[in-house]
Amino acid sequence: MESPLLLFPQLNVSASKDKSYYKVMKPAHKEETNKASKPGAKQKRNRLSLLLQKTEFHEDNHLGKPANLKKAASVSPEEAVKWGESFDKLLSQKDGLDAFTMFLKTEFSEENIEFWIACEDYKKSKTTHELLPKAKSIYETFIRKDAPKEVNLDFHTKEVTSQSIEQPIITTFDAAQSTVYKLMEQDSYPRFLRSDLYLNLVKGRNPNRPAMRRRSRSFTVNEFQDVRSDFTIW
């Protein structure tokens, strides 16, 4: 009787190949499992990158102030202190007006001071021919409904101002300007005096370079140490 190996050689070869295939594949599968269970160098680098991005993002937000603060940096502390005496004194000095305008821009309410300045310029008109184009420009920019820089006026003041636009006189915007002035004096001005922008000027600090503030916690200490210890992989 012939040997089973001779009668069915294909079975023996297949079995041998299957066994070899199993031996080769099993370690590979185990290696992939181990890789998945441990964070690699790329993952750790990504975590470090995220840490640095968070720090930079927070600092940039803190420094997000008007770009033209260089002018304010030249103001003396003595001059800045005088701005706190009254709102009139603040607006009467060009540097004070500029600093207050910068502050309002950080609050997205600069239309109020721009309207006040436009009214001051309007009242300096020397001829009646100058009044009409200026009046219409101010009305279209600040007063009409849905104007691009519409200021907050009560219904009566807006109506009275609107009715005089066709034949404007030197006092056409007086009521509206007075309303906006009081709003700034009672609301924005006190906040300006408490702002970092103003306090830095009083203390003689350059408002272009405020003190850095970092987030109290972006990553745990252990997480950062874990990333740092892996620098040798790079």
Side-chain angles (χ1 to χ4, degrees):
M1 182 176 179
E2 295 185 12
S3 169
L5 294 177
L6 296 176
L7 290 174
F8 307 104
Q10 299 88 346
L11 295 177
N12 185 55
V13 171
S14 298
S16 176
K17 286 183 177 180
D18 288 345
K19 187 176 293 187
S20 300
Y21 175 79
Y22 177 75
K23 287 181 178 179
V24 171
M25 292 302 295
K26 188 174 181 181
H29 175 70
K30 185 175 181 181
E31 184 178 350
E32 289 177 0
T33 303
N34 289 338
K35 281 184 178 180
S37 63
K38 295 181 179 180
K42 183 177 180 180
Q43 182 180 352
K44 291 183 177 182
R45 286 196 297 270
N46 289 341
R47 284 161 52 193
L48 178 60
S49 175
L50 179 61
L51 170 64
L52 296 176
Q53 288 175 9
K54 284 186 176 182
T55 302
E56 290 172 0
F57 176 78
H58 181 70
E59 289 174 355
D60 288 343
N61 275 353
H62 179 66
L63 298 177
K65 298 195 174 180
N68 58 344
L69 288 180
K70 291 182 179 179
K71 294 180 181 179
S74 62
V75 175
S76 68
E78 293 77 17
E79 183 181 357
V81 168
K82 292 180 181 178
W83 301 345
E85 295 176 5
S86 71
F87 190 45
D88 273 336
K89 185 157 287 187
L90 172 69
L91 298 187
S92 66
Q93 299 184 16
K94 187 180 183 306
D95 288 334
L97 181 60
D98 288 342
F100 185 62
T101 301
M102 293 175 198
F103 169 74
L104 291 185
K105 286 182 178 180
T106 67
E107 295 197 334
F108 304 99
S109 60
E110 66 269 23
E111 70 276 0
N112 291 324
I113 194 63
E114 289 176 6
F115 172 68
W116 184 86
I117 293 173
C119 290
E120 289 294 291
D121 177 70
Y122 174 82
K123 289 187 291 187
K124 294 176 183 177
S125 300
K126 296 181 179 179
T127 66
T128 55
H129 291 85
E130 292 181 48
L131 295 181
L132 183 58
K134 285 185 177 181
K136 287 190 173 182
S137 177
I138 292 173
Y139 176 78
E140 290 295 323
T141 304
F142 299 102
I143 296 182
R144 71 169 173 82
K145 184 179 180 181
D146 298 325
K149 297 183 178 182
E150 185 178 6
V151 292
N152 188 12
L153 298 174
D154 60 272
F155 177 80
H156 176 71
T157 302
K158 179 172 285 193
E159 280 297 303
V160 170
T161 305
S162 300
Q163 290 171 8
S164 65
I165 292 301
E166 294 303 323
Q167 294 181 329
I169 57 178
I170 203 70
T171 59
T172 290
F173 297 103
D174 282 3
Q177 185 183 18
S178 177
T179 298
V180 172
Y181 179 93
K182 289 177 182 177
L183 176 65
M184 292 189 294
E185 182 181 32
Q186 296 172 7
D187 186 44
S188 302
Y189 177 57
R191 286 202 303 276
F192 169 73
L193 297 180
R194 296 192 300 267
S195 70
D196 288 341
L197 187 156
Y198 176 70
L199 295 176
N200 283 334
L201 292 175
V202 170
K203 295 174 182 177
R205 296 175 182 171
N206 186 341
N208 271 319
R209 304 183 64 181
M212 291 286 188
R213 293 181 185 176
R214 296 178 179 270
R215 295 183 63 171
S216 58
R217 183 184 184 276
S218 293
F219 272 69
T220 63
V221 175
N222 290 337
E223 285 174 328
F224 185 76
Q225 288 178 344
D226 187 28
V227 174
R228 186 179 60 183
S229 65
D230 201 60
F231 280 175
T232 54
I233 299 177
W234 303 5

